[in-house]
Amino acid sequence: MKVTKRNGNVVDFDKNKIIVAINKAAKEVDGQEYPIIAKTIADYIENLDRDMSVEEIQNQIEEQLMDCERKDIARAYIRYRYKREAVRKNSTEFIEAISEKLNGKKIENSNANMDENSFGGRIGEATNVMMRDYALNYCMSEMAKNNHLGNRIYIHDLNAYAVGEHNCLSIPFDDLLANGFTTRQTDIRPANSADTAFQLIAVIFQLQSLMQFGGVAATHLDWTMVPYVRKSFYKHYKDGLMYIADCSDMDKDSILKELNNTLSIEDEKYKRFATIYKYAFNMTFKEVNQGVESLLHNLNTLQSRSGNQLPFSSINYGSCTLPEGRMIIRALLEGSIKGVGKFHRTAVFPCQIFQCMKGVNRKPGDPNYDLFQLALKSTALRLYPNYCNVDWSVNAGYDKNDPKQYVSTMGCRTYNGYDINGLGFQKDGRGNLAPVTIIMPTLAMEAKEEPGNTFDNFMSILDKALYEAKDMLLERYKLMCSQPASVAPFMYENGTMAGYIPEEGIESALKHGTLAIGQIGLAETLQILIGEDQTSPEGMRHAKQIEQLFKDRCAQFKQEYHLNFGVYYTPAESLCGTALNKFRQKYGIIKNVSDRDFFTNSIHCPVWQHLSPFEKIDIEAELTNYSNAGCILYVELPSTVKNNLKALEDLVNYAMDKDIPYFAINVPNDICLDCGYQDEINDKCPQCGSENIQQLRRVTGYLSTTWKHFNHAKQEEVKERVKHVGDIEQ
């Protein structure tokens, strides 16, 4: 007698397997086995004496159990059979999913900065399949799992969830450069020159990025670099004293006694000898520019994550009015304008963010106004820098004498708000621990299916979802806090995450981070609820009620749990597509809701809306300040503005005056990779005719070398982006 298995293999019949299966089912009923019943059924099937499939044998077992009047055991066996089938099915699907990733057969480009087709990318993506499955099934409550799978509340970076890893961090470079740091293999001395400091900044970015899954940032790089510019200047001045005949040999020792490497490079003691001063200044300026060049090349080439991924690095600067800080700002901007490589391509990393500040760089006569002009030139050519608003009302109360408290951001949009656990407005050493995102269109459809007022139903459902989102974050936070400090030695041994006290465990540091409740699809949600979006007065009125609820609940949770809950306007690089696809599977295609291949990002106006740049700013400015954990506003210009920087200046100032915290401008940025021609290019290079064109575009706040590296949903969004046209000179 032969048995055909599910995989097609044929084996000898073994009645002992039938006995084991029946006894397992019986034990579920009353805790004991029934060997006589099991043996009788096994003998019966054996005596049929014919070849059968596994499925036929299982059907015979069910029939015999029913005939022997042990229907309870029969039901238990059916359940047992079903569970075994589910396990087999899940196991098969699981292995198939891993196989697809390992063999590069399912390239999704969920992260535009990662090459999923590379060896590292394949290994990383296959590992992520297992890690996500583990996180969903073993690390969280059924409530959290069901919300995620039900497309209601999305849990970001499940692969990192499983090991308790956190998201992003603003690195305290001031401390690390001044004190040095340790790694697993060695220790690094404090920086003693601008060149060394720039090299160490790149190293620190890389090391910290391996301790987490998100971005890394410098919050005030111009201020950070001041001591190292002074150290370099002092060294060059000493060299000048030795080799330039500007003073007698008898004067050198006495001159050096008056000088030290903490003096301003414009100190009058230096200026006594004009030739030496000029030499030291020129050498320092050259060193700083070379340091910037090395920083840009390092951060665009040192791939330190799986999938040939570069760390998501960001640098904030622009507010330092000291001569050393101004030198740094100028070098960074000129380095950005120059570009990298033989064709001087736009440096994708670090994301550069210029800190606009009243009385410092906003208007003619401000000490850094000239550098603001240089920033605008760089933006027109390179899309970087973006602009953040040091005077943002949400950060009101900060110490204007402490750059560590200035508004700064990650390239994507993360903002460190006021810390309820003692660090106040400090940004360094803090970051977004982990976000969840409420898929609002799903909740809107649930509200529509209930009797009564649809909008009232939605607000009630949203309120419940906010409480559940809070509980989901607390679950993850608890898992993070349970980890030993050894999981991130560089971070905890060097204090890159502020507040760590070894005796108290890593929660002493994690408690200063942000637990972010994000959102996606406000425009689509409003279309479901009232048939309009936030670009209409009625839509805006309803939008504000929704955002006020987010703000109120996060403020309440922050006080209640003494943790930094915050409203986050999610970047949704891959979520814009995955959430839309799940929504379609359940609700189908709905006009102005799911008839495109992506959901609109957070509170943004739909990308297909025809608006002038000022109209878009006016609309979104009414909603941005409900967020205190990160938001961004973009405008999409139709063509280059490199010959109209005054219009660009008006646009940036308009956004800052509208209290926008973080602002980015998209302009065409194309390069021919055969001849190096750069300008707005369509299909062919106008100079050499090549079709090998790189069209650099913004994906979340960061840039990617080409928009063709985006996932399908983001590519479709790029195609739908309407240029914000109209008079940009107001």
Side-chain angles (χ1 to χ4, degrees), residues 321-514:
T321 57
L322 299 174
E324 300 85 0
R326 283 178 48 80
M327 183 183 289
I328 292 294
I329 298 166
R330 183 173 297 279
L332 288 167
L333 291 170
E334 289 179 345
S336 173
I337 292 168
K338 181 180 179 183
V340 295
K342 66 177 181 179
F343 288 145
H344 301 279
R345 294 159 70 172
T346 296
V348 173
F349 292 106
C351 176
Q352 299 194 39
I353 304 157
F354 192 86
Q355 293 169 299
C356 293
M357 190 174 184
K358 290 179 180 177
V360 173
N361 51 36
R362 291 278 308 277
K363 303 292 182 183
D366 288 349
N368 281 3
Y369 180 70
D370 59 328
L371 298 175
F372 179 39
Q373 297 298 298
L374 191 59
L376 295 168
K377 179 181 178 181
S378 178
T379 299
L381 293 170
R382 302 296 184 186
L383 282 79
Y384 286 158
N386 303 338
Y387 298 86
C388 74
N389 188 354
V390 176
D391 302 297
W392 187 33
S393 61
V394 173
N395 201 53
Y398 75 97
D399 183 353
K400 293 186 177 182
N401 295 313
D402 185 0
K404 295 178 183 178
Q405 298 188 22
Y406 291 0
V407 171
S408 60
T409 183
M410 303 282 173
C412 64
R413 71 201 59 195
T414 294
Y415 164 75
N416 293 317
Y418 185 86
D419 175 36
I420 197 171
N421 287 311
L423 296 182
F425 289 100
Q426 179 180 320
K427 314 303 179 190
D428 283 7
R430 301 174 56 213
N432 186 341
L433 299 180
V436 295
T437 293
I438 295 178
I439 316 294
M440 294 199 293
T442 299
L443 306 190
M445 291 302 292
E446 292 175 5
K448 196 172 183 179
E449 293 169 349
E450 291 187 359
N453 181 280
T454 301
F455 187 77
D456 291 344
N457 292 342
F458 172 77
M459 293 298 285
S460 178
I461 293 170
L462 175 60
D463 200 18
K464 182 181 178 184
L466 285 163
Y467 277 92
E468 291 179 348
K470 172 261 298 180
D471 289 338
M472 292 163 70
L473 286 172
L474 289 175
E475 286 179 13
R476 190 169 188 174
Y477 178 73
K478 183 177 180 181
L479 179 62
M480 287 181 183
C481 292
S482 70
Q483 307 303 315
S486 58
V487 296
F490 176 78
M491 183 164 67
Y492 291 115
E493 289 175 9
N494 295 293
T496 62
M497 185 175 280
Y500 174 57
I501 303 173
E503 311 86 69
E504 297 181 11
I506 67 174
E507 185 172 11
S508 58
L510 289 170
K511 68 182 182 182
H512 302 294
T514 302

Side-chain angles (χ1 to χ4, degrees), residues 171-234:
I171 300 174
F173 281 106
D174 294 8
D175 298 334
L176 294 170
L177 295 178
N179 302 322
F181 53 90
T182 61
T183 68
R184 184 176 182 181
Q185 292 80 14
T186 189
D187 62 277
I188 305 299
R189 295 187 298 272
N192 277 308
S193 68
D195 179 61
T196 301
F198 274 123
Q199 292 184 49
L200 292 183
I201 287 167
V203 169
I204 293 165
F205 269 140
Q206 307 251 344
L207 290 170
Q208 179 58 39
S209 74
L210 296 173
M211 305 292 108
Q212 56 181 69
F213 62 85
V216 283
T219 66
H220 52 278
L221 189 60
D222 44 353
W223 291 93
T224 295
M225 287 295 298
V226 167
Y228 308 101
V229 175
R230 290 177 176 177
K231 289 175 185 290
S232 289
F233 187 87
Y234 178 70

Side-chain angles (χ1 to χ4, degrees), residues 112-131:
N113 187 34
M114 188 175 77
D115 180 3
E116 292 183 15
N117 198 48
S118 67
F119 287 131
R122 293 183 186 187
I123 293 170
E125 285 295 292
T127 302
N128 288 344
V129 171
M130 181 269 290
M131 297 289 278

Side-chain angles (χ1 to χ4, degrees), residues 626-644:
Y626 289 98
S627 169
N628 63 347
C631 58
I632 191 170
L633 191 156
Y634 310 99
V635 295
E636 197 88 18
L637 300 185
S639 60
T640 179
V641 288
K642 62 185 180 183
N643 297 318
N644 193 1

